[in-house]
Amino acid sequence: MSGEDNLLRLVEAEEGEENDYHLQDQVGFILRKAHQRHVAIFAAHIADLTPPQFAALAKLYDIGETSQNQLGTLIAMDAATVKGVIDRLKARGLVELSKHEIDKRRLLVNLTPEGREAIERLIPLARTITEETLAPLTAKEAATFLRLLAKLA
Amino acid sequence: MSGEDNLLRLVEAEEGEENDYHLQDQVGFILRKAHQRHVAIFAAHIADLTPPQFAALAKLYDIGETSQNQLGTLIAMDAATVKGVIDRLKARGLVELSKHEIDKRRLLVNLTPEGREAIERLIPLARTITEETLAPLTAKEAATFLRLLAKLA
DNA sequence: TTGATATCATTTGCATACGAATGAATTTGC
DNA sequence: GCAAATTCATTCGTATGCAAATGATATCAA
């Protein structure tokens, strides 16, 4: 810390300016930490699947067969990311791929019976994960938080 | 969709159970999307630094020289992650490394003059990024959101 | 109809993120 | 004072996440 910095602080204190920047108060930093905590809770309950992999299976279970690109849109992943996720699910036999009959650009993705079994088994655990993630909040706070978070996302 | 599934749905509808699982309502999924949006806003304002890199510089600016490990704790990164971040900042001349004189395990990290210049220039932009991230909320909502988010993180 | 655009998927490169294993150095406990 | 436990840093492997470039196909528009 140089003498100039100390002088600057004095001057700004006199002017009543807030010069401090506290990383730990910034929404981006706290958002990153909250996300990290959620991922850790997820991993503690569902060890053999990542949140993005689970999201892909859950969405396919919800809407049925769709193109890789469309699936990516629905679960908020760009094309490069969704490809990797689907590749790994395919390698594990949880999804299967086929070509779109009419539009030859599209790659259709669907659950295999094993994938359907897996997601049906995991959804109850996912509800627990959501509960545990929100556990520091009261029910009312959790509702408020989800409403505001959705406005941000 | 098999006949058994349809039967299951009828039974559950009669019992008033909620069987649907909507990914887009789960806190983890929305948290991931909110984080993605923040990172995009960050990149639009600060193109030459990532949020983790910025976090490292901002924390060093705040507390001065510290060990790589301690820095990681303060900015919520594990040892493997912080090493990569610091390596890249070092390669760009924004931080410098030195050995701890007494405890030979520790690697001290500090801002270079260029790093100090950079973070002083960037902090005002970071304030803008925070504002833009919270822009969908009113001031009161933003305060509530930050309070609840901090409880979760 | 055909030339310009747009869409879908892939690949490459870079940057987190974290578990697990390893080795060096320090601290603790007895 | 010494063995056990802990801490610090590094490395490896795997998995997102995204920008940019590319190629194939489809759609639009003059």
Side-chain angles (χ1 to χ4, degrees), chain A residues 3-81:
Chain A
E4 284 81 355
D5 287 329
N6 286 325
L7 181 56
L8 181 61
R9 288 198 173 181
L10 280 173
V11 168
E12 288 175 345
E14 286 168 3
E15 291 174 352
E17 286 183 16
E18 177 56 78
N19 190 48
D20 286 355
Y21 178 83
H22 297 296
L23 184 70
Q24 64 272 22
D25 298 333
Q26 306 303 309
V27 64
F29 182 70
I30 315 177
L31 218 38
R32 178 169 145 269
K33 287 214 298 176
H35 182 246
Q36 280 177 0
R37 174 170 168 271
H38 168 75
V39 172
I41 291 171
F42 188 101
H45 288 271
I46 300 180
D48 60 342
L49 226 52
T50 65
Q53 289 167 1
F54 175 86
L57 294 185
K59 186 51 77 175
L60 286 173
Y61 184 64
D62 190 15
I63 66 165
E65 185 175 61
T66 187
S67 74
Q68 192 174 273
N69 211 51
Q70 173 66 8
L71 180 61
T73 300
L74 293 171
I75 59 181
M77 284 177 216
D78 71 8
T81 301

Coordinates of all heavy atoms in Angstrom, one line a residue, chain A residues 3-81:
Chain A
G3 N 1.8 5.4 -0.2 CA 1.4 6.7 0.4 C 0.3 7.3 -0.4 O -0.7 7.9 0.2
E4 N 0.4 7.3 -1.7 CA -0.6 7.9 -2.5 C -2.0 7.2 -2.3 O -3.0 7.9 -2.3 CB -0.3 7.7 -4.0 CG 0.8 8.7 -4.5 CD 2.2 8.2 -4.2 OE1 2.3 7.2 -3.4 OE2 3.1 8.9 -4.6
D5 N -2.0 5.9 -2.1 CA -3.3 5.2 -1.8 C -3.9 5.7 -0.5 O -5.1 5.9 -0.4 CB -3.0 3.7 -1.8 CG -2.7 3.2 -3.2 OD1 -3.3 3.7 -4.1 OD2 -2.0 2.2 -3.3
N6 N -3.0 5.8 0.5 CA -3.6 6.3 1.8 C -4.2 7.7 1.6 O -5.3 8.0 2.2 CB -2.5 6.3 2.8 CG -2.1 4.9 3.3 OD1 -3.0 4.0 3.3 ND2 -0.8 4.6 3.5
L7 N -3.5 8.6 0.9 CA -4.0 9.9 0.7 C -5.3 9.8 0.0 O -6.3 10.5 0.3 CB -3.0 10.7 -0.2 CG -3.4 12.2 -0.5 CD1 -3.7 12.9 0.9 CD2 -2.3 12.9 -1.2
L8 N -5.4 9.0 -1.1 CA -6.6 8.8 -1.8 C -7.8 8.4 -0.9 O -8.9 9.0 -1.0 CB -6.4 7.8 -2.9 CG -7.6 7.5 -3.8 CD1 -8.0 8.7 -4.6 CD2 -7.3 6.4 -4.8
R9 N -7.5 7.5 0.0 CA -8.5 7.0 0.9 C -9.0 8.2 1.8 O -10.2 8.3 2.0 CB -8.0 5.9 1.7 CG -7.8 4.7 0.9 CD -7.7 3.5 1.8 NE -7.7 2.2 1.0 CZ -7.7 1.0 1.5 NH1 -7.6 0.9 2.8 NH2 -7.7 0.0 0.7
L10 N -8.1 9.0 2.3 CA -8.5 10.1 3.1 C -9.4 11.0 2.4 O -10.4 11.4 2.9 CB -7.2 10.8 3.6 CG -6.5 10.1 4.8 CD1 -5.2 10.8 5.1 CD2 -7.4 10.1 6.0
V11 N -9.0 11.4 1.2 CA -9.7 12.4 0.4 C -11.1 11.8 0.1 O -12.1 12.5 0.3 CB -9.0 12.6 -1.0 CG1 -9.9 13.4 -1.9 CG2 -7.7 13.4 -0.8
E12 N -11.2 10.6 -0.2 CA -12.5 10.0 -0.5 C -13.4 9.9 0.7 O -14.6 10.0 0.6 CB -12.4 8.7 -1.2 CG -11.8 8.9 -2.7 CD -11.5 7.6 -3.4 OE1 -11.4 6.5 -2.7 OE2 -11.4 7.6 -4.6
A13 N -12.7 9.6 1.8 CA -13.5 9.5 3.1 C -14.2 10.9 3.3 O -15.3 11.0 3.7 CB -12.6 9.1 4.2
E14 N -13.4 11.9 3.1 CA -13.9 13.3 3.3 C -15.1 13.6 2.3 O -16.0 14.3 2.7 CB -12.8 14.3 3.1 CG -11.8 14.4 4.3 CD -10.6 15.1 3.9 OE1 -10.5 15.7 2.8 OE2 -9.7 15.2 4.8
E15 N -15.0 13.0 1.1 CA -16.0 13.3 0.2 C -17.2 12.3 0.4 O -18.2 12.4 -0.3 CB -15.5 13.1 -1.3 CG -14.5 14.2 -1.6 CD -13.9 14.0 -3.0 OE1 -14.1 12.8 -3.5 OE2 -13.2 14.8 -3.5
G16 N -17.1 11.4 1.3 CA -18.2 10.5 1.6 C -18.3 9.4 0.5 O -19.4 8.8 0.4
E17 N -17.3 9.2 -0.3 CA -17.5 8.3 -1.4 C -17.2 6.8 -0.9 O -16.5 6.6 0.0 CB -16.5 8.5 -2.5 CG -16.8 9.7 -3.4 CD -15.8 10.0 -4.5 OE1 -15.1 9.0 -4.8 OE2 -15.8 11.1 -5.1
E18 N -17.9 5.9 -1.5 CA -17.7 4.5 -1.2 C -16.7 3.9 -2.2 O -17.1 3.7 -3.3 CB -19.0 3.7 -1.2 CG -18.9 2.3 -0.9 CD -18.2 2.0 0.4 OE1 -18.9 2.1 1.4 OE2 -17.0 1.6 0.4
N19 N -15.5 3.7 -1.8 CA -14.5 3.2 -2.7 C -14.3 1.7 -2.6 O -13.8 1.1 -3.5 CB -13.2 3.9 -2.5 CG -12.2 3.6 -3.6 OD1 -12.6 3.7 -4.8 ND2 -11.0 3.3 -3.3
D20 N -14.8 1.1 -1.5 CA -14.5 -0.3 -1.3 C -15.3 -1.1 -2.3 O -16.5 -0.8 -2.6 CB -14.9 -0.7 0.1 CG -13.8 -0.2 1.1 OD1 -12.8 0.4 0.6 OD2 -14.0 -0.3 2.3
Y21 N -14.7 -2.2 -2.7 CA -15.4 -3.2 -3.6 C -15.3 -4.5 -2.9 O -14.2 -5.0 -2.8 CB -14.8 -3.2 -5.0 CG -15.4 -4.2 -5.9 CD1 -16.6 -3.9 -6.6 CD2 -14.9 -5.5 -6.0 CE1 -17.2 -4.8 -7.4 CE2 -15.5 -6.4 -6.9 CZ -16.6 -6.0 -7.6 OH -17.2 -7.0 -8.4
H22 N -16.4 -5.0 -2.4 CA -16.4 -6.3 -1.7 C -16.9 -7.4 -2.6 O -18.1 -7.5 -2.8 CB -17.2 -6.2 -0.4 CG -16.6 -5.2 0.5 ND1 -15.3 -5.4 1.1 CD2 -17.1 -4.0 1.0 CE1 -15.1 -4.3 1.9 NE2 -16.1 -3.5 1.8
L23 N -16.0 -8.2 -3.1 CA -16.3 -9.3 -4.0 C -17.5 -10.2 -3.4 O -18.4 -10.6 -4.1 CB -15.1 -10.2 -4.2 CG -15.2 -11.4 -5.1 CD1 -15.4 -10.8 -6.5 CD2 -14.1 -12.3 -5.0
Q24 N -17.4 -10.4 -2.1 CA -18.3 -11.3 -1.5 C -19.8 -10.8 -1.4 O -20.7 -11.5 -1.0 CB -17.8 -11.8 -0.1 CG -17.7 -10.6 0.9 CD -16.4 -9.9 0.9 OE1 -15.7 -10.0 -0.1 NE2 -16.0 -9.2 2.0
D25 N -19.9 -9.5 -1.8 CA -21.3 -8.9 -1.8 C -21.8 -8.9 -3.2 O -23.0 -8.4 -3.4 CB -21.3 -7.5 -1.2 CG -20.8 -7.5 0.3 OD1 -21.0 -8.5 0.9 OD2 -20.3 -6.5 0.7
Q26 N -21.1 -9.2 -4.2 CA -21.5 -9.1 -5.6 C -22.4 -10.3 -6.0 O -22.1 -11.4 -5.7 CB -20.3 -9.0 -6.5 CG -19.3 -7.9 -6.2 CD -19.9 -6.6 -6.1 OE1 -20.6 -6.2 -7.1 NE2 -19.7 -5.8 -5.0
V27 N -23.4 -10.0 -6.7 CA -24.4 -11.0 -7.0 C -23.8 -12.1 -7.8 O -24.1 -13.3 -7.6 CB -25.6 -10.4 -7.8 CG1 -25.2 -9.8 -9.1 CG2 -26.7 -11.4 -8.0
G28 N -22.8 -11.8 -8.7 CA -22.2 -12.8 -9.5 C -21.4 -13.8 -8.7 O -21.5 -15.0 -8.9
F29 N -20.7 -13.3 -7.7 CA -19.9 -14.2 -6.9 C -20.8 -15.1 -6.0 O -20.5 -16.3 -5.9 CB -19.0 -13.3 -6.0 CG -18.1 -14.1 -5.1 CD1 -17.0 -14.8 -5.7 CD2 -18.3 -14.1 -3.8 CE1 -16.1 -15.5 -4.9 CE2 -17.4 -14.8 -2.9 CZ -16.4 -15.6 -3.5
I30 N -21.8 -14.5 -5.5 CA -22.7 -15.3 -4.6 C -23.5 -16.3 -5.4 O -23.7 -17.4 -5.0 CB -23.7 -14.4 -3.8 CG1 -23.0 -13.2 -3.2 CG2 -24.3 -15.2 -2.7 CD1 -23.9 -12.2 -2.5
L31 N -23.9 -15.9 -6.6 CA -24.6 -16.8 -7.5 C -23.7 -18.0 -7.8 O -24.1 -19.2 -7.8 CB -24.9 -16.0 -8.8 CG -26.2 -16.2 -9.6 CD1 -27.4 -16.4 -8.7 CD2 -26.4 -15.1 -10.5
R32 N -22.4 -17.8 -8.1 CA -21.5 -18.8 -8.4 C -21.4 -19.8 -7.1 O -21.4 -21.0 -7.3 CB -20.1 -18.3 -8.7 CG -19.0 -19.3 -9.0 CD -17.8 -18.7 -9.6 NE -16.6 -19.3 -9.2 CZ -15.9 -18.9 -8.1 NH1 -16.2 -17.9 -7.4 NH2 -14.8 -19.6 -7.8
K33 N -21.3 -19.2 -5.9 CA -21.2 -20.1 -4.8 C -22.5 -20.9 -4.5 O -22.4 -22.0 -4.1 CB -20.9 -19.2 -3.5 CG -19.4 -18.7 -3.5 CD -18.9 -18.6 -2.1 CE -19.6 -17.6 -1.3 NZ -19.1 -17.6 0.1
A34 N -23.6 -20.2 -4.7 CA -24.9 -20.9 -4.5 C -25.0 -22.1 -5.5 O -25.4 -23.2 -5.1 CB -26.1 -20.0 -4.7
H35 N -24.6 -21.9 -6.7 CA -24.6 -22.9 -7.7 C -23.6 -24.0 -7.3 O -24.0 -25.2 -7.4 CB -24.2 -22.3 -9.1 CG -24.2 -23.3 -10.2 ND1 -23.1 -23.7 -10.8 CD2 -25.2 -24.0 -10.7 CE1 -23.4 -24.6 -11.8 NE2 -24.7 -24.8 -11.7
Q36 N -22.5 -23.7 -6.8 CA -21.5 -24.7 -6.4 C -22.1 -25.6 -5.3 O -22.0 -26.8 -5.3 CB -20.2 -24.0 -5.8 CG -19.3 -23.6 -6.9 CD -18.1 -22.9 -6.3 OE1 -18.0 -22.7 -5.1 NE2 -17.2 -22.4 -7.2
R37 N -22.8 -24.9 -4.3 CA -23.4 -25.6 -3.2 C -24.5 -26.6 -3.7 O -24.5 -27.8 -3.3 CB -24.0 -24.7 -2.2 CG -24.8 -25.4 -1.1 CD -25.2 -24.5 0.0 NE -26.1 -25.1 0.9 CZ -27.5 -25.1 0.7 NH1 -28.0 -24.4 -0.3 NH2 -28.3 -25.7 1.5
H38 N -25.3 -26.1 -4.7 CA -26.3 -27.0 -5.2 C -25.7 -28.2 -5.9 O -26.2 -29.3 -5.7 CB -27.2 -26.2 -6.2 CG -28.0 -27.2 -7.0 ND1 -29.2 -27.8 -6.5 CD2 -27.9 -27.6 -8.3 CE1 -29.7 -28.5 -7.4 NE2 -29.0 -28.5 -8.5
V39 N -24.6 -28.0 -6.7 CA -24.0 -29.1 -7.4 C -23.4 -30.1 -6.4 O -23.5 -31.4 -6.6 CB -22.9 -28.6 -8.3 CG1 -22.1 -29.8 -8.9 CG2 -23.5 -27.8 -9.4
A40 N -22.9 -29.7 -5.3 CA -22.4 -30.6 -4.3 C -23.5 -31.4 -3.6 O -23.4 -32.6 -3.4 CB -21.6 -29.7 -3.2
I41 N -24.6 -30.7 -3.4 CA -25.8 -31.4 -2.8 C -26.3 -32.5 -3.8 O -26.6 -33.6 -3.5 CB -26.9 -30.4 -2.4 CG1 -26.5 -29.6 -1.3 CG2 -28.2 -31.2 -2.1 CD1 -27.4 -28.4 -1.0
F42 N -26.3 -32.1 -5.1 CA -26.8 -33.0 -6.1 C -25.9 -34.2 -6.1 O -26.4 -35.4 -6.1 CB -26.7 -32.3 -7.5 CG -27.3 -33.1 -8.6 CD1 -28.6 -32.8 -9.1 CD2 -26.6 -34.1 -9.2 CE1 -29.1 -33.6 -10.1 CE2 -27.1 -34.9 -10.2 CZ -28.4 -34.6 -10.7
A43 N -24.6 -34.0 -6.1 CA -23.6 -35.1 -6.2 C -23.7 -36.0 -5.0 O -23.5 -37.3 -5.1 CB -22.2 -34.6 -6.3
A44 N -24.1 -35.5 -3.9 CA -24.2 -36.3 -2.7 C -25.4 -37.3 -2.7 O -25.4 -38.3 -2.1 CB -24.3 -35.4 -1.4
H45 N -26.4 -36.9 -3.5 CA -27.6 -37.7 -3.7 C -27.6 -38.6 -4.9 O -28.1 -39.7 -4.9 CB -28.9 -36.8 -3.7 CG -29.2 -36.3 -2.3 ND1 -29.9 -36.9 -1.4 CD2 -28.8 -35.1 -1.7 CE1 -30.1 -36.1 -0.3 NE2 -29.4 -35.0 -0.5
I46 N -27.0 -38.0 -6.0 CA -27.0 -38.7 -7.3 C -25.5 -38.7 -7.7 O -25.1 -37.8 -8.4 CB -27.9 -38.0 -8.3 CG1 -29.3 -38.0 -7.8 CG2 -27.8 -38.7 -9.7 CD1 -30.3 -37.4 -8.8
A47 N -24.9 -39.8 -7.4 CA -23.4 -39.8 -7.6 C -23.0 -40.2 -9.1 O -22.0 -39.8 -9.6 CB -22.8 -40.8 -6.7
D48 N -23.9 -40.9 -9.8 CA -23.5 -41.4 -11.1 C -24.0 -40.6 -12.3 O -23.9 -41.0 -13.4 CB -24.0 -42.9 -11.2 CG -25.5 -43.0 -11.1 OD1 -26.2 -42.0 -10.6 OD2 -26.1 -44.0 -11.5
L49 N -24.5 -39.4 -12.0 CA -25.0 -38.5 -13.1 C -24.7 -37.1 -12.7 O -24.8 -36.7 -11.5 CB -26.5 -38.7 -13.2 CG -27.2 -38.9 -14.5 CD1 -26.5 -40.0 -15.3 CD2 -28.7 -39.2 -14.4
T50 N -24.4 -36.2 -13.6 CA -24.2 -34.8 -13.3 C -25.5 -34.1 -13.5 O -26.4 -34.6 -14.2 CB -23.2 -34.2 -14.3 OG1 -23.7 -34.3 -15.6 CG2 -21.9 -35.0 -14.2
P51 N -25.7 -32.9 -13.0 CA -26.9 -32.1 -13.2 C -27.2 -31.9 -14.7 O -28.4 -32.1 -15.0 CB -26.6 -30.8 -12.5 CG -25.7 -31.2 -11.4 CD -24.8 -32.2 -12.0
P52 N -26.3 -31.6 -15.5 CA -26.7 -31.4 -16.9 C -27.1 -32.8 -17.5 O -28.1 -32.8 -18.3 CB -25.3 -31.0 -17.6 CG -24.6 -30.3 -16.5 CD -24.9 -31.1 -15.3
Q53 N -26.5 -33.9 -17.2 CA -27.0 -35.2 -17.7 C -28.4 -35.5 -17.2 O -29.2 -35.9 -18.0 CB -26.0 -36.3 -17.2 CG -24.7 -36.2 -17.9 CD -23.6 -37.1 -17.3 OE1 -23.9 -37.8 -16.3 NE2 -22.4 -37.1 -17.8
F54 N -28.6 -35.2 -15.9 CA -30.0 -35.4 -15.4 C -31.0 -34.5 -16.1 O -32.1 -35.0 -16.4 CB -30.0 -35.1 -13.9 CG -31.3 -35.1 -13.3 CD1 -31.8 -36.3 -12.8 CD2 -32.1 -34.0 -13.2 CE1 -33.1 -36.4 -12.3 CE2 -33.4 -34.0 -12.6 CZ -33.9 -35.2 -12.2
A55 N -30.6 -33.2 -16.4 CA -31.5 -32.3 -17.0 C -31.9 -32.9 -18.4 O -33.1 -32.8 -18.8 CB -30.8 -30.9 -17.2
A56 N -30.9 -33.4 -19.1 CA -31.2 -34.0 -20.4 C -32.2 -35.1 -20.3 O -33.2 -35.2 -21.1 CB -29.9 -34.4 -21.1
L57 N -32.0 -36.0 -19.4 CA -32.9 -37.2 -19.3 C -34.3 -36.7 -18.8 O -35.3 -37.2 -19.3 CB -32.3 -38.2 -18.2 CG -31.0 -38.9 -18.6 CD1 -30.6 -39.9 -17.5 CD2 -31.1 -39.6 -19.9
A58 N -34.3 -35.8 -17.9 CA -35.6 -35.3 -17.4 C -36.4 -34.7 -18.5 O -37.6 -34.8 -18.6 CB -35.4 -34.4 -16.2
K59 N -35.7 -33.9 -19.3 CA -36.4 -33.2 -20.4 C -36.9 -34.2 -21.4 O -38.1 -34.1 -21.9 CB -35.5 -32.1 -21.0 CG -36.2 -31.2 -22.0 CD -37.5 -30.6 -21.5 CE -37.3 -29.5 -20.5 NZ -38.6 -28.8 -20.2
L60 N -36.1 -35.2 -21.7 CA -36.5 -36.2 -22.7 C -37.7 -37.0 -22.1 O -38.6 -37.3 -22.9 CB -35.4 -37.1 -23.0 CG -34.3 -36.6 -23.9 CD1 -33.1 -37.5 -24.0 CD2 -34.8 -36.2 -25.3
Y61 N -37.7 -37.2 -20.9 CA -38.8 -37.9 -20.2 C -40.1 -37.1 -20.3 O -41.2 -37.6 -20.5 CB -38.4 -38.2 -18.8 CG -39.4 -39.0 -18.0 CD1 -39.7 -40.3 -18.3 CD2 -40.1 -38.5 -16.9 CE1 -40.6 -41.1 -17.6 CE2 -41.0 -39.2 -16.1 CZ -41.3 -40.5 -16.5 OH -42.2 -41.3 -15.8
D62 N -39.9 -35.8 -20.2 CA -41.0 -34.9 -20.2 C -41.6 -34.7 -21.6 O -42.9 -34.8 -21.8 CB -40.5 -33.5 -19.7 CG -41.7 -32.5 -19.4 OD1 -42.9 -33.0 -19.4 OD2 -41.4 -31.3 -19.3
I63 N -40.8 -34.6 -22.6 CA -41.3 -34.2 -23.9 C -41.1 -35.3 -25.0 O -41.7 -35.2 -26.1 CB -40.6 -32.9 -24.5 CG1 -39.2 -33.2 -24.7 CG2 -40.9 -31.8 -23.5 CD1 -38.5 -32.1 -25.6
G64 N -40.4 -36.4 -24.7 CA -40.2 -37.4 -25.6 C -39.1 -37.0 -26.6 O -38.4 -36.1 -26.5
E65 N -39.0 -37.8 -27.7 CA -37.9 -37.7 -28.7 C -37.9 -36.3 -29.2 O -38.9 -35.7 -29.6 CB -38.2 -38.7 -29.8 CG -37.1 -38.7 -30.9 CD -37.3 -39.8 -31.9 OE1 -38.3 -39.7 -32.6 OE2 -36.4 -40.7 -32.0
T66 N -36.7 -35.8 -29.4 CA -36.5 -34.4 -30.0 C -35.1 -34.4 -30.6 O -34.3 -35.3 -30.4 CB -36.7 -33.3 -28.9 OG1 -36.7 -32.1 -29.6 CG2 -35.6 -33.4 -27.9
S67 N -34.8 -33.3 -31.3 CA -33.5 -33.2 -31.9 C -32.5 -32.7 -30.8 O -32.9 -32.1 -29.8 CB -33.5 -32.2 -33.1 OG -33.6 -30.8 -32.5
Q68 N -31.3 -33.0 -31.1 CA -30.2 -32.6 -30.2 C -30.2 -31.1 -29.9 O -30.1 -30.7 -28.8 CB -28.9 -33.1 -30.7 CG -27.7 -33.0 -29.7 CD -26.5 -33.7 -30.3 OE1 -26.2 -34.9 -30.2 NE2 -25.6 -32.8 -30.9
N69 N -30.4 -30.4 -31.0 CA -30.4 -28.9 -30.9 C -31.5 -28.4 -30.1 O -31.3 -27.5 -29.2 CB -30.4 -28.4 -32.4 CG -29.7 -27.1 -32.5 OD1 -28.5 -27.0 -32.1 ND2 -30.4 -26.1 -33.0
Q70 N -32.7 -28.9 -30.4 CA -33.9 -28.5 -29.6 C -33.8 -28.8 -28.2 O -34.1 -28.0 -27.3 CB -35.1 -29.2 -30.3 CG -36.4 -28.9 -29.5 CD -36.9 -27.5 -29.5 OE1 -36.3 -26.7 -30.2 NE2 -37.9 -27.2 -28.7
L71 N -33.2 -30.0 -27.9 CA -33.0 -30.4 -26.5 C -32.1 -29.4 -25.8 O -32.3 -29.0 -24.7 CB -32.4 -31.8 -26.4 CG -32.1 -32.4 -25.0 CD1 -33.4 -32.4 -24.2 CD2 -31.5 -33.7 -25.1
G72 N -31.0 -29.0 -26.5 CA -30.1 -28.0 -26.0 C -30.8 -26.7 -25.6 O -30.6 -26.2 -24.5
T73 N -31.7 -26.3 -26.5 CA -32.4 -25.0 -26.2 C -33.2 -25.2 -24.9 O -33.2 -24.3 -24.1 CB -33.3 -24.7 -27.4 OG1 -32.5 -24.5 -28.6 CG2 -34.1 -23.5 -27.1
L74 N -33.9 -26.3 -24.8 CA -34.8 -26.6 -23.7 C -34.1 -26.7 -22.3 O -34.6 -26.3 -21.3 CB -35.6 -27.8 -23.9 CG -36.6 -27.7 -25.1 CD1 -37.2 -29.1 -25.4 CD2 -37.7 -26.7 -24.8
I75 N -32.8 -27.2 -22.4 CA -32.1 -27.3 -21.1 C -30.9 -26.3 -21.0 O -30.0 -26.5 -20.2 CB -31.6 -28.8 -20.9 CG1 -30.7 -29.2 -22.0 CG2 -32.8 -29.7 -20.8 CD1 -30.1 -30.6 -21.9
A76 N -31.0 -25.3 -21.8 CA -30.1 -24.1 -21.7 C -28.6 -24.6 -21.9 O -27.7 -24.3 -21.1 CB -30.2 -23.4 -20.4
M77 N -28.4 -25.3 -23.0 CA -27.0 -25.7 -23.3 C -26.7 -25.3 -24.8 O -27.6 -25.6 -25.6 CB -26.7 -27.2 -23.1 CG -26.6 -27.6 -21.7 SD -26.4 -29.4 -21.7 CE -27.3 -29.8 -20.2
D78 N -25.5 -24.8 -25.1 CA -25.2 -24.6 -26.5 C -24.9 -25.9 -27.2 O -24.8 -26.9 -26.6 CB -24.1 -23.5 -26.6 CG -22.8 -24.1 -26.2 OD1 -22.7 -25.3 -26.0 OD2 -21.8 -23.3 -26.2
A79 N -24.8 -25.8 -28.5 CA -24.7 -27.0 -29.3 C -23.5 -27.9 -28.9 O -23.6 -29.1 -28.9 CB -24.7 -26.7 -30.8
A80 N -22.4 -27.2 -28.7 CA -21.2 -27.9 -28.4 C -21.3 -28.7 -27.0 O -20.8 -29.8 -26.9 CB -20.0 -27.0 -28.3
T81 N -21.9 -28.0 -26.1 CA -22.0 -28.6 -24.7 C -23.0 -29.8 -24.8 O -22.7 -30.9 -24.2 CB -22.5 -27.6 -23.7 OG1 -21.6 -26.5 -23.7 CG2 -22.7 -28.2 -22.3

